[in-house]
Amino acid sequence: MSSSLFTRMGRDTRYVLLGFPLALLSFVLVLTGLAVGAGTSVLFVGLVPLSATLVAARGVAHVDRIRLSDLYGHPVMRLPYRGAPQGAGPLRRLLNPLTCSRTWLDALHPLLRLPVSLVTFTVAVTWWALALGGLLYPLWGWSLYFVPGYTDVGSFVLPEYPVLATLAVHMVGGALFALTLPAVLRVLAQAESTLARALLLAPEDTGVRVLSAPGREEPSDPESGSGQRLRRRRIVSTR
């Protein structure tokens, strides 16, 4: 395997394995905050914990954007959050997150990502365990023979040489899982990151100009459509 392939495997593994514990913590945090805030919102005082939960969701979304940046190997960009109107009072500023659609998308992400992260985490751990367990079978396989009633697979494959057959089965199986590991990790990381990109990097609304990455812009006629196209460049390319 080339160094670039090992780098990609490291990024994919890090993204998927860290995704589940972060998804679980953020799910509990956001769901609890939304439930408490919504349940007491009829008393108006519930709007404060609801707004605080949305602010916490912004922090979780920021962590997820950092993880996306690590996965892709370059920075990602987002649109700014909607600020409070000029001259707004303290209460209006406190409750301002409730009026920001981007903040609600940040809160929606932890609620949707948990089942996806659970599946990707389980498959990644299983694939890594089978690959390493099979390739390293000569180092630990002997311990299985101390288990009462243990019958190795080689006894069914090649009864004349059960130990050798068992070694071959585990080594070949581990090699197959190891060879397919990069592709499986890539699919898992893409499945989880697609949801994050859709919710955390999506435009807030069509009236907000998309932020552009720094770079040269060719001069264009302000009356032509090329200027508009330059101003509406994509936030980030995932390629």
Side-chain angles (χ1 to χ4, degrees):
M1 295 184 183
S2 62
S3 58
S4 60
L5 182 58
F6 276 115
T7 301
R8 170 54 62 189
M9 285 181 57
R11 288 175 177 172
D12 292 342
T13 301
R14 188 164 54 243
Y15 186 80
V16 173
L17 294 188
L18 291 178
F20 176 66
L22 291 175
L24 184 60
L25 291 175
S26 60
F27 178 85
V28 173
L29 172 66
V30 173
L31 183 62
T32 302
L34 292 179
V36 171
T40 57
S41 59
V42 293
L43 304 177
F44 185 75
V45 69
L47 297 179
V48 175
L50 191 60
S51 181
T53 301
L54 294 180
V55 173
R58 288 183 180 183
V60 174
H62 179 67
V63 174
D64 285 317
R65 292 187 186 100
I66 293 176
R67 296 178 59 240
L68 284 174
S69 177
D70 175 65
L71 177 66
Y72 297 137
H74 56 74
V76 297
M77 302 179 68
R78 65 163 178 82
L79 290 175
Y81 294 108
R82 181 177 290 122
Q86 188 175 6
L91 181 60
R92 177 65 177 85
R93 294 181 180 277
L94 178 65
L95 301 181
N96 181 69
L98 298 174
T99 66
C100 179
S101 59
R102 172 154 295 280
T103 305
W104 283 102
L105 289 177
D106 290 347
L108 178 63
H109 179 242
L111 304 181
L112 297 180
R113 69 181 287 197
L114 182 60
V116 178
S117 296
L118 176 59
V119 172
T120 56
F121 177 85
T122 302
V123 174
V125 170
T126 302
W127 223 270
W128 265 111
L130 292 174
L132 294 178
L135 294 177
L136 300 179
Y137 178 79
L139 300 180
W140 63 271
W142 56 268
S143 62
L144 296 176
Y145 292 92
F146 291 95
V147 178
Y150 170 73
T151 303
D152 54 24
V153 67
S155 301
F156 304 98
V157 177
L158 192 62
E160 295 81 2
Y161 304 98
V163 176
L164 182 60
T166 301
L167 176 64
V169 169
H170 282 84
M171 293 290 289
V172 171
L176 292 176
F177 279 102
L179 289 175
T180 55
L181 183 61
V184 171
L185 290 174
R186 185 92 286 263
V187 171
L188 297 177
Q190 288 295 334
E192 188 169 346
S193 64
T194 297
L195 178 63
R197 288 178 51 212
L199 295 178
L200 304 182
L201 300 180
E204 183 174 10
D205 55 57
T206 56
V208 179
R209 183 170 64 88
V210 175
L211 294 179
S212 299
R216 293 181 55 188
E217 292 189 4
E218 298 180 0
S220 58
D221 184 359
E223 299 297 327
S224 66
S226 60
Q228 295 294 328
R229 288 193 297 271
L230 285 173
R231 287 192 295 272
R232 298 184 63 187
R233 289 185 301 174
R234 296 176 61 189
I235 297 176
V236 62
S237 173
T238 60
R239 297 181 179 178

